[in-house]
């Protein structure tokens, strides 16, 4: 039985002062509780401070993005080496806002995943279909393509370090959560795809999180599903009380 993994994506929200306060409260509230794994994804500019606070705690810190190159003339970008240096252990890659607002494609996402792995950062690799794709019955094709293309040339021993997050685009920030059974079905499809591409034991052990309008009210029914190993939370993760509540309900077994 896996410990549930709950990670909060702050996106472009909070201030440094509020972020620091949040991190301190979270560290104190979760002190000594090892029934759960949890983390936060602050904006780049907060990472160093937040990593310092959460060092030696059971809360990990992830960046929201990286560039695929380790360094170079990429004005405005931040590299995997830089976020690793300030203490991040994880990084979100392929979030739907990066795919759709910033037009990141599968090959760029694949390059970022390989770069993250090469510096020992754990990618949280996001996949998910759009509403029209779901309505056209194409959910599985879309997810399979995103997985296969995003993981091209990733070896089995590297895949072990990756967390997958299934986030249906129509459920992100919309208040429309996927039904727990709907999400579970896609999670199970993701596991089968990993079984076909790699092997069954690896597919079983890999963490697959659900994301999309997760709230304290629906967190438990989602993680009660057999294939859902945790949650990637956006809007409800920037209010300390609601994020803590999600962690608590999910960790109550
Ligand atoms: P949401 O965002 O919880 O606000 O829907 C989820 C995400 O984008 O990871």
């Amino acid at each position: 039985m896996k410990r549930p993994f709950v990670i909060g994506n702050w996106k472009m929200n909070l201030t440094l002062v509020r972020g620091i306060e949040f991190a301190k409260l979270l560290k104190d509230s979760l002190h000594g509780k090892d029934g759960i794994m949890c983390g936060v994804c602050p904006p780049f500019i907060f990472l160093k401070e937040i990593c310092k606070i959460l060092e030696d705690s059971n809360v990990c810190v992830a960046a929201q993005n990286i560039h695929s190159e380790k360094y170079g003339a990429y004005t405005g970008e931040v590299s995997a080496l830089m976020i690793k240096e300030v203490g991040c252990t994880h990084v979100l890659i392929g979030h739907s806002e990066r795919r759709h607002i910033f037009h990141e494609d599968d090959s760029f996402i694949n390059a970022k995943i390989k770069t993250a792995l090469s510096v020992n950062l754990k990618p949280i690799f996001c996949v998910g279909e759009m509403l029209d794709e779901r309505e056209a019955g194409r959910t599985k094709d879309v997810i399979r393509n995103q997985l296969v293309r995003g993981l091209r040339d990733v070896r089995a021993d590297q895949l072990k370090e990756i967390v997958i997050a299934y986030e249906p685009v129509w459920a992100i920030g919309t208040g429309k959560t996927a039904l727990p059974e709907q999400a579970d079905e896609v999670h199970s499809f993701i596991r089968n795809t990993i079984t076909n591409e790699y092997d069954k034991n690896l597919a079983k052990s890999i963490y697959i999180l659900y994301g999309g309008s997760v709230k304290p009210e629906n967190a438990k029914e989602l993680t009660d599903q057999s294939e859902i190993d945790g949650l990637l939370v956006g809007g409800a993760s920037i209010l300390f009380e609601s994020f803590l509540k999600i962690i608590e309900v999910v960790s109550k077994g």
Side-chain angles (χ1 to χ4, degrees), residues 83-247:
I83 65 157
K84 176 86 184 161
E85 189 183 356
V86 297
C88 291
T89 52
H90 292 70
V91 56
L92 294 183
I93 296 181
H95 188 278
S96 78
E97 284 146 21
R98 299 300 316 173
R99 290 178 188 265
H100 300 295
I101 304 174
F102 299 100
H103 310 294
E104 294 189 1
D105 63 13
D106 292 318
S107 73
F108 192 34
I109 289 165
N110 175 248
K112 292 182 188 211
I113 289 178
K114 288 189 284 194
T115 300
L117 290 167
S118 76
V119 303
N120 295 323
L121 275 171
K122 296 177 195 296
I124 301 170
F125 171 35
C126 308
V127 296
E129 81 287 2
M130 314 239 297
L131 185 59
D132 59 336
E133 294 166 334
R134 173 164 282 267
E135 286 175 347
R138 295 186 45 233
T139 299
K140 289 182 180 169
D141 280 348
V142 170
I143 302 294
R144 186 193 298 106
N145 283 338
Q146 289 177 347
L147 284 171
V148 170
R149 292 174 187 160
L151 296 174
R152 200 161 55 94
D153 299 329
V154 171
R155 302 184 311 264
D157 63 305
Q158 294 177 306
L159 187 67
K160 275 193 206 131
E161 304 302 320
I162 296 180
V163 173
I164 295 176
Y166 168 57
E167 299 203 297
V169 180
W170 48 272
I172 296 180
T174 57
K176 282 188 214 155
T177 324
L179 295 172
E181 306 74 35
Q182 250 176 344
D184 202 47
E185 190 188 343
V186 180
H187 281 229
S188 157
F189 175 76
I190 292 172
R191 247 184 255 286
N192 288 339
T193 307
I194 303 289
T195 300
N196 295 338
E197 299 290 319
Y198 294 88
D199 75 77
K200 199 168 175 182
N201 286 337
L202 186 51
K204 235 170 128 177
S205 67
I206 198 164
Y207 268 79
I208 308 178
L209 315 181
Y210 168 80
S213 296
V214 173
K215 311 180 264 289
E217 299 75 32
N218 60 20
K220 179 83 171 88
E221 56 179 10
L222 285 160
T223 50
D224 274 349
Q225 301 296 311
S226 60
E227 303 296 336
I228 301 183
D229 304 316
L231 302 166
L232 177 53
V233 189
S237 78
I238 55 178
L239 291 171
F240 176 73
E241 295 305 332
S242 71
F243 189 54
L244 186 64
K245 186 88 202 149
I246 291 172
I247 293 170

Side-chain angles (χ1 to χ4, degrees), residues 67-84:
H67 192 268
S68 60
E69 294 297 326
K70 288 187 190 153
Y71 46 83
Y74 299 97
T75 302
E77 293 295 307
V78 174
S79 89
L81 287 170
M82 295 166 185
I83 65 157
K84 176 86 184 161

